[in-house]
Amino acid sequence: MYYSAEMPQSIALPPRHFWRRLAAFALDIIVFQAAILIAVHYISKTFSEGSHFADKASMECAEGVPDQLARRIETGWPLKTNELRTNEICEMRQFGLGKQRYLQITVLIEPWDYVTPTQVLTIPVDADDNPLSKTIPAYSDLISGTANTALIALTFACFSANGRRTFGKAVFFLRVQWIDGEGPDFGIALKREILKFSPNLLLSAAIFAISLFPVYPTQNFDALLGMFHGGYIPSNDGTIGFYVLWAIAAMAWWLVPFMVWQGQTFYDRICACEVVSA
């Protein structure tokens, strides 16, 4: 009797050129990101020194604060014999928000090396150098992160639409095709790339959302001085945990489909595309 239909089948899924796709993607990211950075650098050079574009990410700090504020700092946060403090007023320009001023207090603890903890208190101030009890939304990070992701996605789409290939896919003999066997048009290619880089967009949005919450346990300046005098050092454990969580979510978005849908990613499945050998 013939039992071939009942014989166990292999559960191994085809890799769908996983390593070639990964290498091509890494090569494309390096090339496109370098091109974007070079273009932005040369564009910024065409503007005058005082232009808004040229100053969109500038940061300048000057040591020294008004006497009244210096006395307030000394009273609320007196130094110990093994400590050294610098007080600075920093000015930063955020795209679309103009200039923002910060008070930055840095206390070094002897022996003043890279191992000894350093306490840094940064808080916004008004035009008269009075500390403000408010948060500063990170609009510049949101705009720059979104713009960079959009440029990357647009570049990938331009090089993937209508039968074209990115530099990395050409090197590793790959191409993107639609369900009809032809290359996707620009609209489909752009949708695919936006979905591909959606974790980056979510990261920019999440960083902006985090900036809306207070950085310190209290926004009262005198209370903060007392806390830092008592040895308080802000922890970055939450920030590290957030990036780890994002990395896991991004890897799940990009890699899990290779195990579930025989190598077809989420964005390929949604856009009815696949990556094949050229």
Side-chain angles (χ1 to χ4, degrees):
M1 187 175 295
Y2 186 69
Y3 290 103
S4 61
E6 299 178 7
M7 294 179 64
Q9 301 295 317
S10 172
I11 61 174
L13 298 177
R16 297 297 294 184
H17 324 298
F18 174 77
W19 293 111
R20 288 164 61 191
R21 289 183 65 174
L22 182 62
F25 177 75
L27 181 59
D28 286 333
I29 285 292
I30 293 173
V31 172
F32 291 154
Q33 189 67 75
I36 289 174
L37 291 176
I38 292 172
V40 170
H41 171 74
Y42 279 101
I43 291 174
S44 66
K45 289 296 184 180
T46 64
F47 289 81
S48 62
E49 290 293 330
S51 69
H52 185 74
F53 183 88
D55 292 338
K56 68 182 178 64
S58 64
M59 180 78 167
E60 296 180 357
C61 294
E63 188 172 346
V65 296
D67 292 339
Q68 182 178 359
L69 181 56
R71 289 193 296 268
R72 189 176 175 185
I73 294 172
E74 181 61 35
T75 301
W77 188 354
L79 291 177
K80 301 173 185 177
T81 56
N82 64 331
E83 294 179 340
L84 175 67
R85 174 168 52 219
T86 58
N87 300 323
E88 297 178 303
I89 297 295
C90 300
E91 295 184 349
M92 182 179 68
R93 291 183 181 274
Q94 294 193 36
F95 181 79
L97 294 180
K99 183 172 61 177
Q100 179 62 49
R101 294 165 56 82
Y102 293 90
L103 166 65
Q104 183 169 283
I105 305 172
T106 304
V107 171
L108 302 176
I109 304 173
E110 196 176 11
W112 307 335
D113 52 29
Y114 293 103
V115 178
T116 305
T118 300
Q119 292 176 288
V120 180
L121 169 59
T122 303
I123 192 169
V125 295
D126 60 18
D128 297 322
D129 296 330
N130 296 312
L132 300 175
S133 298
K134 68 175 185 177
T135 60
I136 304 297
Y139 288 108
S140 60
D141 292 337
L142 177 64
I143 294 173
S144 61
T146 302
N148 184 73
T149 302
L151 283 174
I152 287 287
L154 183 62
T155 304
F156 267 88
C158 289
F159 279 88
S160 300
N162 301 318
R164 292 187 294 271
R165 292 186 290 171
T166 62
F167 181 74
K169 284 187 173 62
V171 169
F172 291 95
F173 304 102
L174 297 171
R175 67 181 180 90
V176 180
Q177 72 176 23
W178 201 36
I179 53 176
D180 61 359
E182 300 295 331
D185 60 25
F186 178 76
I188 295 296
L190 181 59
K191 176 182 177 181
R192 178 178 180 272
E193 298 304 331
I194 291 175
L195 289 172
K196 177 195 294 183
F197 291 102
S198 57
N200 300 61
L201 296 173
L202 291 176
L203 176 64
S204 299
I207 292 175
F208 172 74
I210 291 174
S211 73
L212 301 178
F213 293 91
V215 177
Y216 304 116
T218 176
Q219 293 297 295
N220 182 278
F221 181 62
D222 296 298
L224 278 176
L225 292 176
M227 290 177 57
F228 276 81
H229 174 62
Y232 171 76
I233 297 178
S235 172
N236 62 352
D237 291 343
T239 302
I240 295 175
F242 165 75
Y243 279 103
V244 170
L245 182 62
W246 172 82
I248 293 174
M251 290 301 101
W253 172 254
W254 288 322
L255 299 182
V256 167
F258 280 93
M259 298 178 289
V260 177
W261 288 329
Q262 299 185 359
Q264 190 178 32
T265 61
F266 282 118
Y267 49 87
D268 280 334
R269 191 175 182 89
I270 293 172
C271 297
C273 295
E274 63 178 350
V275 177
V276 298
S277 293

